[in-house]
């Protein structure tokens, strides 16, 4: 991998991590309505079929284990709401173009009809692909993956119940063992 690619990935990852709490605070009135669950959610930006695909992708990235899946904490609804409410028209068009490519690619791979293991294999192959013809498709997936992880970790359910959480920070000790915090990362 070239240095330029590493810097680009780092910028995208840090942008997603920084933008999640920012968007949640800016759109708190709008987004908070969508953060609960995706069961009864009516998509704002994507159509119903695209939203179901987004839900399947998010759940393949973060499936239900001892913690909830991405869709159970409202990640697909959050992604759709933020794209529909916060992205500029140009950025919405770019996202739609890349997502359409991803949709066609996954349809050819029978993604929606596959079991969880096969879905993960399809997405992993796309993520690791060096095929330049899959450029927009791959970037669509990487964008969704970054947003999924970011919104999942910043969700109230995960932050309060599955990560270490201090609503009012206290003393900062920079050098602690993982065992002293029950083996959990800190919530944002």
């Amino acid at each position: 991998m070239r240095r330029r690619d590493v810097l680009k990935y780092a910028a995208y990852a840090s942008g997603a991590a920084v933008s999640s709490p920012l968007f949640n605070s800016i759109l708190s009135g709008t987004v908070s309505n969508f953060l609960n669950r995706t069961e009864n959610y009516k998509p704002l930006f994507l159509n119903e079929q695209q939203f179901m695909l987004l839900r399947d992708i998010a759940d393949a990235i973060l499936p239900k284990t001892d913690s909830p899946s991405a869709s159970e904490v409202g990640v697909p609804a959050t992604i759709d709401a933020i794209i529909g409410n916060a992205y500029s028209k140009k950025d919405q068009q770019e996202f739609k173009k890349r997502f359409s490519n991803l949709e066609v690619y996954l349809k050819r791979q029978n993604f929606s009809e596959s079991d969880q293991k096969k879905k993960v294999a399809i997405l992993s192959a796309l993520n690791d692909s060096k095929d330049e013809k899959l450029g927009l498709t791959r970037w669509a997936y990487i964008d969704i993956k970054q947003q999924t992880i970011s919104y999942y970790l910043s969700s109230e359910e995960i932050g309060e119940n599955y990560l270490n959480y201090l609503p009012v920070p206290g003393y900062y000790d920079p050098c602690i063992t993982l065992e002293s915090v029950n083996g959990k990362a800190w919530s944002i």
Side-chain angles (χ1 to χ4, degrees):
M1 182 179 281
R2 295 186 344 230
R3 180 175 176 256
R4 183 175 304 215
D5 291 333
V6 171
L7 292 174
K8 192 181 338 178
Y9 289 133
Y12 281 126
S14 62
V18 169
S19 68
S20 172
L22 177 64
F23 279 135
N24 282 339
S25 65
I26 291 172
L27 301 171
S28 60
T30 306
V31 175
S32 63
N33 298 332
F34 304 115
L35 289 176
N36 299 327
R37 302 283 183 260
T38 58
E39 296 134 12
N40 300 322
Y41 177 75
K42 299 290 181 225
L44 296 173
F45 178 71
L46 300 171
N47 64 40
E48 291 285 337
Q49 185 178 8
Q50 291 171 327
F51 183 75
M52 298 303 282
L53 177 62
L54 177 62
R55 189 194 67 198
D56 287 348
I57 294 168
D59 284 346
I61 295 168
L62 292 168
K64 182 176 180 74
T65 56
D66 58 336
S67 61
S69 68
S71 64
E72 290 177 321
V73 297
V75 169
T78 304
I79 292 171
D80 180 68
I82 288 179
I83 292 168
N85 287 312
Y87 279 28
S88 69
K89 292 294 181 195
K90 180 183 174 199
D91 291 337
Q92 287 177 343
Q93 290 170 349
E94 278 296 312
F95 182 88
K96 192 76 126 178
K97 180 180 174 184
R98 290 190 314 261
F99 190 81
S100 294
N101 286 340
L102 179 61
E103 192 175 12
V104 169
Y105 173 82
L106 294 176
K107 190 174 282 190
R108 278 193 227 132
Q109 304 290 326
N110 293 322
F111 180 80
S112 294
E113 294 81 32
S114 300
D115 64 359
Q116 182 68 15
K117 189 175 181 179
K118 177 73 173 163
K119 285 179 180 180
V120 170
I122 291 168
L123 294 176
S124 294
L126 177 60
N127 189 68
D128 298 339
S129 175
K130 303 292 186 216
D131 186 356
E132 290 183 20
K133 293 177 187 172
L134 293 176
L136 289 177
T137 305
R138 186 170 173 272
W139 278 110
Y141 169 65
I142 289 172
D143 186 29
I144 290 170
K145 182 171 79 170
Q146 290 172 342
Q147 289 184 48
T148 298
I149 294 168
S150 178
Y151 299 145
Y152 184 83
L153 292 175
S154 64
S155 71
E156 185 175 350
E157 170 78 15
I158 300 302
E160 289 183 3
N161 299 322
Y162 295 92
L163 299 172
N164 283 314
Y165 176 70
L166 277 177
V168 179
Y171 173 74
Y172 174 69
D173 189 0
C175 191
I176 60 175
T177 65
L178 194 56
E179 291 81 27
S180 69
V181 290
N182 301 322
K184 293 182 179 179
W186 284 100
S187 176
I188 298 175

